Amino acid sequence: MLLFFAACFHPVFAQQEPDGEVMLNFNYPAVGNVYLNVVFFGDVAFLPLGEVLSMLYISTERTENGKGLKGSYPTKNDNWSVDPVTNKLIIKGKSEALEADKYYLGELDLFLHPDYFKKIFGITFTVNTYALSVSMKSEFTLPIEERQKREGIRKQLQQRNNNDTLAAPLIYNRERKALSLGVLDYNVNYTTSDVGNNLGLFLNAGMELLGGDLQGSFNGNLNNGNLLNSFSGLRWRYVLPGGMTPERNVGMASISAGQISTTSFSNAANLVGVSVTNNPVIPRLELDVFIIDGTTVPDSEVELLIGGQLVDFTRADEVGYYRFNAPVTYGTVRLSTRIYTPQGEVMVQDRQIQVPFSFLPKGFVGYNIQAGLPQFTFDSLGTGMTSHADISYGITNALTVRAGADQGAIFGERAIYPVFGLSARLFQQYLLNVDALPDRYYRANASVFYSDNTTINAQFTEYIQNSALNFRGQTRDGNLNVFYPFKILGKFSGFRVTGERIWFNTGLGVNNYQFDFNTQINRVVVRFNYRGGARGLISDPENPSQNQFGLFTSSLTYTLPRSPGIPVYVRGLFLRGQFRYSTLLEQGESVSFLLSQTLFKNGRFTLGYDRELIRDLSRFQVGFLYDFNSLRSSTQYTKGTNGHAFQQGFSGSLAYDPAGGMIIPSNRDQVTRSGAAVRLFVDSNENGLFDEGEEIVPAKAIRLDRSANILIGTDGILRITQLQSYWKYRLDIDITALPNPNLAPKLKSFSFVAEPNRFRQIDIPLYQTGIIDGFVLIEKNGQTQGQGGLRLELIREGESEPVEIIRTFTDGSFYSYGLLPGKYKLRIDSKQLEFMQVNSIPGQLEFEIKALADGDYLEGLTLVLRPAGDQ
């Protein structure tokens, strides 16, 4: 019996004992500096399997006999198992024998030969017996590294949320001007061809007048000596403070006067008159809070992503339940939950929510009122007063109702035309919109957008006979649009079907339909499209096939990669070919080719050829577009069967900069937008203002919380363009980007309001940073001496985490430099005080670093330690 049991349990009782057991120092960036208990057989160190995998967060579980370990790594399909009882080893699902001389079953862990760590997990261990240390390399990204990366992102998220709760002070609020020069957009286009010459000029100007934004356009055209010109869009708008607070429901947001358009549900009218509304000029961003909850594996880490960006995280409780309150914004919102189970599995769940801007928050009321004379052309006005009014109310965050009325001959024969409507969101992702215009038409629209990007849209309209809006004599129409995405060989593809049915009052009807398919083969995008049906109105019952058409289109596009192995002059080259075939005529209709390539970084060269097969016409086209810093140039030459044409255009914008007192050119339109001129300077006289002779610091050392263009001029001033008028921006100063590391501002962050149609001037004074020094003393036996080795926490006012940990030297002295202006607290680490059983007198030091041109220097800061029992 003894011999039998010895044979059965040989791995446990009859294994060779190690030559020694040693604690090695193990240092890995994601793990830190820890000690690892290993056993030696000769000069080979066997490492503890359970301890190593636990330390690296590689998920494991016990084998059935309780002596081995098993799991899946690096993917969930790569199963592995180490069983010392059965001497069985599984690597990536394949079984083999576990060599008896390459493992040791200790009392607390299973020790493996380093070769098995390499073979199973792709981990290479190197032992330095002289330094008593062990190092490691891994072929795969370790779970602890992924966890550390996730925790780093989450820490940044928490810090960002904490910073957002401490809103940056509004230093530059709205500053209304009676008159302020603004911006001018221009577009000059000259064309010469076989039929003559043409010079076109378009100007669009914007400025601030009487505290409001004023803008208007001029369009001039000189064609073969004949001049045509017109003005349009001349409008002045005064935005009240409530118009810049979209989170509030105000009584009045803005007043406009001049050339305006009505906000009619159907056909808007152009008026010369006045408009009043309480809808904010800044779009509302958030509508509702959407609850996302579910169950998963207990103690799993759950992340919430909106639009692919991490916004919150939590940990599932002991039964696996988790819950988020997600803000739902306007537009299309993609919500994702990413779950990391304790076993290392990653699960992703997606959902899609659509919120049109027609929805109002619960309890909000919105209205629009317009009145004036109808305008047919710039110099032609109607004589009858025309007006429109509408009002909307948010019954819930998912249901908004509206009503209104149009008055005036331009809308029809009746004196007043009422309008009604509602917008509803059903089951979070289904949208329903209904418009009822008595004596005109009734329309319903429904849509859904699924998380896999499948979309369905349907619309049905019932027309009233002899209505002014029924131009084609229709009685009703309906259409359906379905898009379904899928993958072919791992590449995204899609199929779209569109159908339309129109009924006419003649009793006839037409069907229009369209099929569209696209996919990708390597770097080639393939698209097929077929459209069929009838154009226009079918009025002849004897010839119902009139205006019928069928058109098949196929296209191929190819883009060369920008990899270094490809010649630089063809990297990113774009090629497209297209062929159109008329199924009605049973012959090819046209063929075209296009080549496009980036040149000189900011330029784009295009070369195209079109051939109309039916009419036997051809056209060759070559063009070049280049973006200079100050303007955009567009050149194009076209040679066709019937003649040629050459076109040259210049477009851009000019803006007045108050900081530099000059005109700043740009290659992008700026009317309706805003800009800022930021001047960083050393405040030599400490008055907070820029004075002549003070040094401007030329550095791109600012960041905004929203997208914008930031360029630094030769005069050292930062100019920000493409800001949204009336929006509030947060500006952060990047101290590390300043050329002098000892310079710093009073405030690292503040906010400003972007002025309409003009640049605003922002001055940021900089000062030398501060220095502190002092001593920490301890009382022993009635004598006082310096205490070294202490950790001092330096905390800035308004913040909870220390900005710096200061160490005391052996004599108890300490110092710190590079401190930003502001108020601070300095205290000793409470854990050290508790361990030493002493109290700090005082408990903390409070001081202020003043904003001085030469820097503030505080010395003699002293903290005294006394035994805890002493007063």
Side-chain angles (χ1 to χ4, degrees), residues 2 9 47 50 68 85 133 137 163 202 265 290 383 403 445 482 510 548 604 612 645 731 738 745 828:
L2 291 174
F9 297 100
L47 298 107
V85 175
S133 64
K137 290 184 179 180
N163 290 336
F202 177 78
F265 293 0
F290 182 57
T383 57
N445 181 284
V482 178
V510 298
Q548 291 289 315
R604 193 79 185 175
E612 293 187 37
L731 187 148
L738 294 173
I828 302 173

Tab-separated table of all heavy atoms in Angstrom, residues 2 9 47 50 68 85 133 137 163 202 265 290 383 403 445 482 510 548 604 612 645 731 738 745 828:
chain	number	residue	atom	x	y	z
A	2	LEU	N	1.954	1.246	0.776
A	2	LEU	CA	2.844	2.408	0.791
A	2	LEU	C	3.435	2.657	-0.586
A	2	LEU	O	3.547	3.788	-1.043
A	2	LEU	CB	3.942	2.206	1.819
A	2	LEU	CG	3.501	2.230	3.283
A	2	LEU	CD1	4.674	1.871	4.194
A	2	LEU	CD2	2.981	3.621	3.630
A	9	PHE	N	1.002	9.610	-5.776
A	9	PHE	CA	1.211	10.999	-5.382
A	9	PHE	C	2.674	11.397	-5.471
A	9	PHE	O	3.171	12.161	-4.681
A	9	PHE	CB	0.699	11.223	-3.955
A	9	PHE	CG	-0.777	10.987	-3.830
A	9	PHE	CD1	-1.261	9.795	-3.324
A	9	PHE	CD2	-1.680	11.946	-4.252
A	9	PHE	CE1	-2.624	9.578	-3.227
A	9	PHE	CE2	-3.044	11.735	-4.138
A	9	PHE	CZ	-3.526	10.543	-3.629
A	47	LEU	N	10.200	30.285	-10.553
A	47	LEU	CA	9.395	31.409	-10.074
A	47	LEU	C	7.988	30.964	-9.688
A	47	LEU	O	7.428	30.038	-10.300
A	47	LEU	CB	9.315	32.499	-11.137
A	47	LEU	CG	10.668	33.119	-11.505
A	47	LEU	CD1	11.109	32.641	-12.873
A	47	LEU	CD2	10.609	34.617	-11.481
A	50	GLY	N	1.548	31.295	-9.235
A	50	GLY	CA	0.368	32.015	-8.752
A	50	GLY	C	0.680	33.453	-8.389
A	50	GLY	O	-0.083	34.366	-8.711
A	68	GLY	N	-3.149	22.722	-9.330
A	68	GLY	CA	-2.661	23.426	-10.502
A	68	GLY	C	-3.446	24.694	-10.780
A	68	GLY	O	-4.379	25.053	-10.059
A	85	VAL	N	-0.343	17.382	-10.573
A	85	VAL	CA	-0.826	16.074	-10.118
A	85	VAL	C	-0.883	15.096	-11.277
A	85	VAL	O	-0.444	13.947	-11.172
A	85	VAL	CB	-2.213	16.223	-9.449
A	85	VAL	CG1	-2.782	14.861	-9.092
A	85	VAL	CG2	-2.113	17.103	-8.219
A	133	SER	N	18.373	40.181	-7.996
A	133	SER	CA	17.259	40.861	-8.651
A	133	SER	C	16.797	40.034	-9.836
A	133	SER	O	17.531	39.181	-10.351
A	133	SER	CB	17.659	42.267	-9.106
A	133	SER	OG	18.669	42.202	-10.088
A	137	LYS	N	10.609	40.694	-19.432
A	137	LYS	CA	10.141	41.223	-20.698
A	137	LYS	C	8.943	40.395	-21.154
A	137	LYS	O	8.902	39.188	-20.928
A	137	LYS	CB	11.236	41.183	-21.768
A	137	LYS	CG	12.372	42.163	-21.542
A	137	LYS	CD	13.368	42.109	-22.703
A	137	LYS	CE	14.494	43.110	-22.505
A	137	LYS	NZ	15.463	43.061	-23.636
A	163	ASN	N	-11.663	70.014	-11.942
A	163	ASN	CA	-11.341	71.355	-12.439
A	163	ASN	C	-12.575	72.049	-12.997
A	163	ASN	O	-12.740	73.259	-12.871
A	163	ASN	CB	-10.263	71.265	-13.525
A	163	ASN	CG	-8.909	70.867	-12.963
A	163	ASN	OD1	-8.640	71.070	-11.778
A	163	ASN	ND2	-8.080	70.273	-13.803
A	202	PHE	N	-17.680	89.062	-54.628
A	202	PHE	CA	-18.606	88.860	-53.514
A	202	PHE	C	-17.930	89.346	-52.240
A	202	PHE	O	-16.816	88.921	-51.906
A	202	PHE	CB	-18.983	87.389	-53.377
A	202	PHE	CG	-19.886	87.114	-52.208
A	202	PHE	CD1	-21.240	87.390	-52.268
A	202	PHE	CD2	-19.369	86.584	-51.024
A	202	PHE	CE1	-22.070	87.139	-51.199
A	202	PHE	CE2	-20.187	86.336	-49.944
A	202	PHE	CZ	-21.552	86.610	-50.022
A	265	PHE	N	-42.921	76.807	-40.690
A	265	PHE	CA	-42.689	75.374	-40.763
A	265	PHE	C	-42.566	74.909	-42.211
A	265	PHE	O	-41.953	73.890	-42.488
A	265	PHE	CB	-43.841	74.615	-40.113
A	265	PHE	CG	-43.935	74.819	-38.619
A	265	PHE	CD1	-43.035	75.629	-37.955
A	265	PHE	CD2	-44.924	74.197	-37.887
A	265	PHE	CE1	-43.103	75.823	-36.600
A	265	PHE	CE2	-45.012	74.381	-36.517
A	265	PHE	CZ	-44.109	75.204	-35.870
A	290	PHE	N	-29.821	60.359	-19.152
A	290	PHE	CA	-30.266	59.028	-19.534
A	290	PHE	C	-29.644	58.010	-18.572
A	290	PHE	O	-28.433	57.999	-18.378
A	290	PHE	CB	-29.846	58.740	-20.977
A	290	PHE	CG	-30.297	57.425	-21.496
A	290	PHE	CD1	-31.634	57.099	-21.511
A	290	PHE	CD2	-29.388	56.502	-21.984
A	290	PHE	CE1	-32.059	55.893	-22.007
A	290	PHE	CE2	-29.799	55.298	-22.482
A	290	PHE	CZ	-31.145	54.985	-22.498
A	383	THR	N	-46.311	95.701	-50.439
A	383	THR	CA	-46.976	96.780	-49.694
A	383	THR	C	-47.764	96.265	-48.505
A	383	THR	O	-48.081	97.041	-47.599
A	383	THR	CB	-47.917	97.544	-50.629
A	383	THR	OG1	-48.864	96.629	-51.211
A	383	THR	CG2	-47.124	98.227	-51.745
A	403	ALA	N	-46.985	75.328	-32.087
A	403	ALA	CA	-48.097	75.898	-32.844
A	403	ALA	C	-47.665	77.260	-33.350
A	403	ALA	O	-46.777	77.911	-32.771
A	403	ALA	CB	-49.349	76.013	-31.975
A	445	ASN	N	-43.277	62.003	-39.991
A	445	ASN	CA	-41.945	61.482	-40.264
A	445	ASN	C	-41.486	60.660	-39.078
A	445	ASN	O	-41.617	61.093	-37.924
A	445	ASN	CB	-40.968	62.635	-40.543
A	445	ASN	CG	-39.570	62.144	-40.852
A	445	ASN	OD1	-38.833	61.739	-39.961
A	445	ASN	ND2	-39.197	62.179	-42.118
A	482	VAL	N	-33.736	53.087	-46.119
A	482	VAL	CA	-33.146	52.103	-45.207
A	482	VAL	C	-31.670	51.948	-45.552
A	482	VAL	O	-31.315	51.749	-46.721
A	482	VAL	CB	-33.848	50.732	-45.308
A	482	VAL	CG1	-33.182	49.719	-44.375
A	482	VAL	CG2	-35.326	50.863	-44.981
A	510	VAL	N	-46.518	57.751	-59.661
A	510	VAL	CA	-45.192	57.306	-60.087
A	510	VAL	C	-44.466	56.703	-58.899
A	510	VAL	O	-44.734	57.023	-57.735
A	510	VAL	CB	-44.364	58.473	-60.671
A	510	VAL	CG1	-45.029	59.050	-61.895
A	510	VAL	CG2	-44.122	59.536	-59.619
A	548	GLN	N	-39.860	58.366	-68.008
A	548	GLN	CA	-39.240	57.260	-67.285
A	548	GLN	C	-37.729	57.298	-67.464
A	548	GLN	O	-37.221	57.752	-68.507
A	548	GLN	CB	-39.787	55.922	-67.788
A	548	GLN	CG	-41.241	55.668	-67.442
A	548	GLN	CD	-41.423	55.400	-65.963
A	548	GLN	OE1	-40.681	54.644	-65.365
A	548	GLN	NE2	-42.406	56.047	-65.352
A	604	ARG	N	-3.450	71.526	-53.651
A	604	ARG	CA	-4.147	70.348	-54.154
A	604	ARG	C	-4.261	70.450	-55.667
A	604	ARG	O	-4.811	71.416	-56.211
A	604	ARG	CB	-5.547	70.266	-53.534
A	604	ARG	CG	-6.222	68.913	-53.768
A	604	ARG	CD	-5.676	67.893	-52.804
A	604	ARG	NE	-6.201	66.550	-53.049
A	604	ARG	CZ	-5.787	65.464	-52.388
A	604	ARG	NH1	-4.852	65.568	-51.463
A	604	ARG	NH2	-6.303	64.295	-52.652
A	612	GLU	N	-19.202	62.261	-72.432
A	612	GLU	CA	-20.610	61.952	-72.582
A	612	GLU	C	-20.774	61.118	-73.850
A	612	GLU	O	-20.645	61.611	-74.970
A	612	GLU	CB	-21.435	63.242	-72.682
A	612	GLU	CG	-21.433	64.059	-71.398
A	612	GLU	CD	-22.404	65.235	-71.481
A	612	GLU	OE1	-23.477	65.064	-72.087
A	612	GLU	OE2	-22.052	66.301	-70.954
A	645	ALA	N	-12.379	77.215	-71.208
A	645	ALA	CA	-12.601	78.245	-70.189
A	645	ALA	C	-11.439	78.221	-69.208
A	645	ALA	O	-10.918	77.154	-68.858
A	645	ALA	CB	-13.919	78.020	-69.462
A	731	LEU	N	-9.683	79.339	-21.279
A	731	LEU	CA	-8.297	79.456	-21.733
A	731	LEU	C	-7.366	79.000	-20.621
A	731	LEU	O	-7.434	79.511	-19.498
A	731	LEU	CB	-7.993	80.895	-22.149
A	731	LEU	CG	-6.633	81.156	-22.800
A	731	LEU	CD1	-6.746	82.288	-23.822
A	731	LEU	CD2	-5.564	81.514	-21.772
A	738	LEU	N	6.381	78.217	-21.861
A	738	LEU	CA	6.988	79.548	-21.792
A	738	LEU	C	8.500	79.427	-21.926
A	738	LEU	O	9.111	78.505	-21.357
A	738	LEU	CB	6.625	80.225	-20.465
A	738	LEU	CG	5.146	80.572	-20.276
A	738	LEU	CD1	4.895	81.077	-18.863
A	738	LEU	CD2	4.700	81.611	-21.304
A	745	PRO	N	1.782	83.192	-14.718
A	745	PRO	CA	0.701	84.184	-14.587
A	745	PRO	C	0.070	84.119	-13.203
A	745	PRO	O	0.313	83.179	-12.435
A	745	PRO	CB	-0.295	83.729	-15.655
A	745	PRO	CG	-0.132	82.237	-15.653
A	745	PRO	CD	1.317	81.960	-15.362
A	828	ILE	N	2.977	69.067	7.424
A	828	ILE	CA	3.753	67.829	7.459
A	828	ILE	C	2.819	66.648	7.251
A	828	ILE	O	1.669	66.652	7.707
A	828	ILE	CB	4.507	67.711	8.797
A	828	ILE	CG1	5.418	68.930	8.992
A	828	ILE	CG2	5.326	66.429	8.868
A	828	ILE	CD1	6.065	68.990	10.357
